[in-house]
Amino acid sequence: MKRSIPELQHSAAPLVMVTAYDYPGGRHAEAASVDLILVGDSLGNVVLGYDSTAPVTLGDMIHHARAVRRGAPGTFMVVDLPFGTYHTGVQDAMRSAVRVIQETGADAIKMEGATPEILQVVQTLTRNGIPVMGHVGLMPQTATAQGGLRVQGKDDETARATLEGAVALEAAGAFSVVLEAIPARLANLISERLSVPTIGIGAGVGCDGQVLVTHDLLGVYEGEDKKIAKRYAEVGRLSREAIETYAAEVRARAFPTRENSFVMKDDVLGKLY
């Protein structure tokens, strides 16, 4: 059964959140009884092959979120608003969020940052009944301005900004805040300060929940392991090996076999000659 926001906020156990980008991903996540699914704009990297999340459009997010919802009708689903859809003012952000909610069946949207402009957007959306999950620390949409994809909050300035941003997001109405790539001690402090759940990714074990990109935890990529993730399976290697075996069998005429083929009666075949 889908958990409500109050249930998520008062969960006795740490919250489990994973990303999903399609129907099978949604089905698998729901079957595993996760608490929340994030249709992240990380789909730009792991599904669409972009170098960053910046090229992802609102149409992309809606298309993929619809598929996830069909696969996971009973799980709380959060959808990222992509870059540029909430940075140009409250009206544009409201239109983007309404489209996501109406067209995908999402339960909430997520936005990165805690600038005064974004805080105003969060406040407006939540006042109008659209739940918002905040996001501080490393923010992939604007990572270039943060000096690249690197840990945030290691110095006084960025640590204070991260803490103050998370507090401000709660005050603006966010029901939860993602903490990405920040020191564990800072994440612990933020989690203690907030009354809403913190969801960590590369932020230590002290958060109120954790989120991982499914492609990372499944090992779809066979490259260098990411420090913020843990590989729980080797799906990428198994997939490649399976395709290699299939290709070899086709070339050796070992596939298809009789078991994979259909037959017809001899008298019918004879009439064709």
Side-chain angles (χ1 to χ4, degrees), residues 113-253:
T115 63
E117 294 79 11
I118 291 175
L119 291 172
Q120 183 181 12
V121 170
V122 173
Q123 190 174 57
T124 301
L125 265 58
T126 56
R127 282 182 175 176
N128 284 276
I130 298 177
V132 177
M133 177 177 281
H135 185 139
V136 296
L138 174 61
M139 294 173 285
Q141 291 181 0
T142 54
T144 300
Q146 292 183 299
L149 295 171
R150 63 184 188 181
V151 177
Q152 302 294 309
K154 297 178 71 173
D155 57 79
D156 291 344
E157 181 181 357
T158 58
R160 184 174 299 277
T162 303
L163 171 60
E164 292 177 349
V167 171
L169 283 166
E170 178 181 11
F175 75 93
S176 177
V177 180
V178 170
L179 309 178
E180 180 168 358
I182 64 174
R185 290 179 63 186
L186 176 58
N188 291 346
L189 175 60
I190 294 172
S191 299
E192 291 171 0
R193 289 282 183 90
L194 300 189
S195 59
V196 299
T198 57
I199 308 294
I201 177 168
V205 74
C207 298
D208 301 304
Q210 299 292 329
V211 60
L212 279 182
V213 173
T214 305
H215 288 57
D216 290 336
L217 74 89
L218 292 180
V220 173
Y221 295 117
E222 298 181 73
E224 183 180 353
D225 288 343
K226 298 178 181 178
K227 186 175 179 64
I228 66 173
K230 178 179 178 180
R231 190 176 297 191
Y232 288 85
E234 296 293 345
V235 172
R237 176 177 57 81
L238 292 174
S239 296
R240 174 175 50 80
E241 290 175 354
I243 295 171
E244 288 174 348
T245 301
Y246 159 70
E249 289 193 359
V250 169
R251 290 170 181 143
R253 294 193 181 277

Side-chain angles (χ1 to χ4, degrees), residues 39-41 43-44 48 50 53-67 77-88 90-104 106 108-111 125 130 141:
V39 185
D41 60 356
L43 68 88
L48 302 180
Y50 296 134
T53 62
V56 177
T57 67
L58 188 64
D60 291 332
M61 296 306 304
I62 290 172
H63 174 79
H64 287 270
R66 282 173 171 168
M77 185 176 80
V78 183
V79 177
D80 268 335
L81 288 187
F83 179 73
T85 61
Y86 58 96
H87 302 83
T88 54
V90 172
Q91 289 186 343
D92 286 345
M94 191 72 185
R95 278 192 289 267
S96 299
V98 167
R99 277 199 64 193
V100 169
I101 297 296
Q102 287 184 332
E103 297 181 31
T104 72
I109 58 94
K110 184 172 79 65
M111 298 185 297
L125 265 58
I130 298 177
Q141 291 181 0

